[in-house]
Amino acid sequence: MGEATGIGLAALTAYVFYRNLKAFLIFLPFGACVPFFMKKQWKKKRLERLSGEFKEGIRVLSASLGSGYSVENAFRASVEELTILFGEEGLIVREFSYIVSQMGLNRPVEGLLADFGRRSGLEDVQNFAEIFQLAKRSGGHLGAIMDYTAGVMGDKMQIQEDIRTATASRRMEQRVMSCLPYAIVLYVDMTSPGFFDVMYTTGAGRAVMTACLLCYGAALVISWRILEIEV
């Protein structure tokens, strides 16, 4: 799917800006990068989902510890409740189930949380693993610490959600504007065949189209960077 999208985008760009087979061959390697970009976007959405589920997992875990459960039993009880919330295919359900199974092999829970943080790449999970390890070593009240941590994470995620909501219309506008140059050229081609021929058959026309392509690419990069707001 991603490969076909990349090839199609390369062909469309070559047609709109140059209408030249050589241009298509030049753009083809860039089109091959599209699957990697799509994979990156998918991974980002998956991490956002995991982060939200992890916050809920910490809340459930904190409630279990507050009820007097040991750490091991609290994780087991959390898996049952999280399965009800997210289903057996929930990301946090899989991770907590793995932790429970490894605890059965006498692996320390703090090491398992640290491993979870490394595998997920989530800063929140890594920070929580460090806090959990320090709290357990110092004999701190794990339930209260996790309750506070869940609150801090919830505030951070609420800010991120507010930013996504505030920029949702701008993101849609950015997508529409990204497609507009292609749509205009294709529309003119259908309604007025030959109107753009001079842009593809003369040196000056090719120079203008190259300048337009560079401006278009720069506009895409700038718009993506503006909308990528990190908290």
Side-chain angles (χ1 to χ4, degrees):
M1 180 64 178
E3 291 80 1
T5 302
I7 294 172
L9 183 59
L12 183 61
T13 302
Y15 176 81
V16 168
F17 288 96
Y18 294 103
R19 298 196 185 169
N20 188 296
L21 180 59
K22 292 181 180 179
F24 169 68
L25 296 176
I26 292 173
F27 292 140
L28 200 55
F30 295 97
C33 296
V34 171
F36 297 100
F37 176 77
M38 294 175 64
K39 184 177 180 181
K40 182 179 179 181
Q41 292 298 109
W42 177 83
K43 181 179 179 181
K44 181 180 178 182
K45 291 182 180 297
R46 187 176 185 276
L47 287 178
E48 289 176 355
R49 176 187 165 194
L50 178 58
S51 180
E53 292 185 9
F54 177 70
K55 186 201 75 168
E56 191 65 26
I58 296 304
R59 184 191 65 79
V60 173
L61 192 61
S62 173
S64 298
L65 288 169
S67 300
Y69 284 93
S70 66
V71 173
E72 291 76 10
N73 289 332
F75 269 99
R76 291 188 179 91
S78 298
V79 169
E80 296 176 3
E81 186 167 342
L82 292 171
T83 300
I84 297 174
L85 290 174
F86 302 113
E88 293 184 357
E89 297 302 315
L91 300 177
I92 195 62
V93 174
R94 295 180 182 178
E95 293 295 342
F96 274 25
S97 296
Y98 175 76
I99 290 175
V100 169
S101 66
Q102 292 300 302
M103 283 193 298
L105 300 177
N106 294 323
R107 290 188 60 185
V109 64
E110 53 268 30
L112 293 169
L113 285 172
D115 179 60
F116 175 27
R118 285 191 297 270
R119 286 186 291 103
S120 67
L122 283 175
E123 183 181 357
D124 289 336
V125 179
Q126 295 170 357
N127 292 338
F128 174 76
E130 294 177 3
I131 293 171
F132 184 92
Q133 186 176 25
L134 291 173
K136 194 169 184 183
R137 285 180 178 177
S138 63
H141 194 284
L142 288 175
I145 292 174
M146 279 191 281
D147 192 41
Y148 174 78
T149 303
V152 172
M153 291 174 58
D155 293 340
K156 178 181 177 181
M157 293 184 64
Q158 185 60 51
I159 294 173
Q160 292 174 329
E161 185 62 32
D162 291 343
I163 291 174
R164 282 194 290 269
T165 301
T167 59
S169 61
R170 296 294 178 264
R171 292 178 187 275
M172 179 58 67
E173 290 173 6
Q174 190 263 348
R175 295 190 185 100
V176 172
M177 294 301 293
S178 297
C179 300
L180 201 57
Y182 296 94
I184 291 174
V185 172
L186 295 175
Y187 175 77
V188 173
D189 268 351
M190 288 188 295
T191 56
S192 303
F195 184 82
F196 283 130
D197 284 353
V198 67
M199 306 302 293
Y200 307 110
T201 57
T202 65
R206 294 190 187 97
V208 170
M209 294 305 285
T210 299
C212 290
L213 178 59
L214 293 174
C215 290
Y216 173 70
L220 282 180
V221 172
I222 292 172
S223 64
W224 286 335
R225 289 188 177 275
I226 290 174
L227 293 173
E228 287 295 325
I229 303 173
E230 298 292 340
V231 179

